[in-house]
Amino acid sequence: MTDEKLQLRDMESNSDAGAKKRRDGGGRPPGTYERLIQPCVAELVGTAFFVFVGCVSVIENVEAAGRLQPALAHGLAVAVLVACLAEVSGAHFNPPFTLAVYLCGGIPMKMVVPYIVCQLIGGVLGAAMSKVMTSAEHYATAEGAAFAVVQSDTQLMAAIFGEVAMTCLVTTVVLMSAVNSKSKSPMAPFLIGCTVIVNILAGADVSGTCLNPARALGPAVLRGYWTYHWVYWVGPLSGGLVAVVIVRLLLGDQKLRVILK
């Protein structure tokens, strides 16, 4: 009986080891493509499809749906893409996210610039895809889904603050659900997507709720619309840095915090 139990235990151990090898690609260490090239491709493709869906949802927005249609489209696109590509690249699709994750030790410095370059290229590609798909009339009316909410200097303070605050919120969710060891959650895609939806519902009429320079750049390039475009770089990048400060000083676990250990 004892021998049979030992044999059964060995079989289970071998089965677990085989499953782990299959998950890890046969036990081989990842090559250059998996370590360096594939993550960048994933960032480009993911950002392109996110911007594509987001732009189409704005350009072809049904008037009766109001801000609900673009809010759901952006948020659900984020959730789906993060769930599919997180294990490949981390699924940032957003320069402030990449900077924040790097500053919290989530990716090596050598990947920061390639990631951001791929995200910006993906943003332009996604905007180009949306132009091909939508009608010329709707495209012109919506300014190609460029951020045209801010029209005067009197709106600047509210718009910038909105972009900083809302980007800080979603970046904090990213860091706490996907980077911070103590609070990592398999529900990260759902949580991040829901945060995007909430932000758009709350702030779309104030700043347009960009939160992402890659999302802003693509339509601006395709449509040639640069009015107050800088707001959608300064706001999100600042908001991402504020989130890093909050997590590294206050909310992060003992490994991530730099004080009060």
Side-chain angles (χ1 to χ4, degrees):
M1 180 64 72
T2 303
D3 291 341
E4 290 178 356
K5 286 183 178 179
L6 289 173
Q7 187 176 7
L8 180 60
R9 192 177 301 165
D10 290 341
M11 290 174 62
E12 290 176 348
S13 177
N14 291 337
S15 176
D16 292 343
K20 187 176 186 303
K21 278 188 176 183
R22 287 191 294 273
R23 289 195 301 269
D24 296 343
R28 296 189 305 273
T32 301
Y33 178 75
E34 286 83 1
R35 288 186 294 105
L36 302 176
I37 301 175
Q38 192 179 56
C40 293
V41 173
E43 287 297 309
L44 190 153
V45 171
T47 307
F49 278 111
F50 166 67
V51 173
F52 165 66
V53 171
C55 287
V56 171
S57 73
V58 172
I59 295 167
E60 299 292 348
N61 189 20
V62 178
E63 186 175 351
R67 68 185 78 172
L68 183 61
Q69 180 173 320
L72 289 174
H74 283 84
L76 292 174
V78 167
V80 170
L81 291 166
V82 170
C84 291
L85 297 175
E87 295 300 321
V88 180
S89 69
H92 302 175
F93 315 138
N94 188 342
F97 289 178
T98 296
L99 288 175
V101 171
Y102 162 67
L103 292 173
C104 289
I107 59 170
M109 184 172 63
K110 66 182 178 181
M111 299 302 293
V112 173
V113 172
Y115 266 36
I116 292 175
V117 169
C118 288
Q119 290 158 2
L120 296 178
I121 294 172
V124 175
L125 180 60
M129 292 165 61
S130 72
K131 185 175 183 179
V132 172
M133 179 174 171
T134 55
S135 70
E137 179 184 356
H138 291 172
Y139 185 86
T141 302
E143 292 290 356
F147 289 89
V149 174
V150 181
Q151 293 292 323
S152 68
D153 290 349
T154 59
Q155 298 173 273
L156 273 179
M157 183 65 71
I160 294 172
F161 179 79
E163 288 295 314
V164 172
M166 291 185 289
T167 307
C168 177
L169 172 58
V170 71
T171 307
T172 301
V173 172
V174 169
L175 295 176
M176 294 302 291
S177 65
V179 178
N180 188 59
S181 299
K182 187 176 180 179
S183 56
K184 271 186 181 180
S185 171
M187 293 185 66
F190 171 78
L191 298 173
I192 297 166
C194 283
T195 309
V196 171
I197 293 172
V198 168
N199 278 337
I200 294 175
L201 290 175
D205 290 343
V206 176
S207 67
T209 311
C210 174
L211 320 179
N212 186 341
R215 167 66 179 84
L217 180 66
V221 170
L222 267 293
R223 183 62 180 167
Y225 188 93
W226 300 101
T227 305
Y228 294 108
H229 177 76
W230 60 269
V231 170
Y232 303 105
W233 286 80
V234 172
L237 289 169
S238 300
L241 293 177
V242 173
V244 171
V245 171
I246 291 173
V247 172
R248 299 225 64 174
L249 295 185
L250 300 172
L251 298 181
D253 57 24
Q254 191 173 29
K255 178 182 177 182
L256 197 55
R257 284 198 319 276
V258 294
I259 62 172
L260 302 174
K261 289 184 177 290

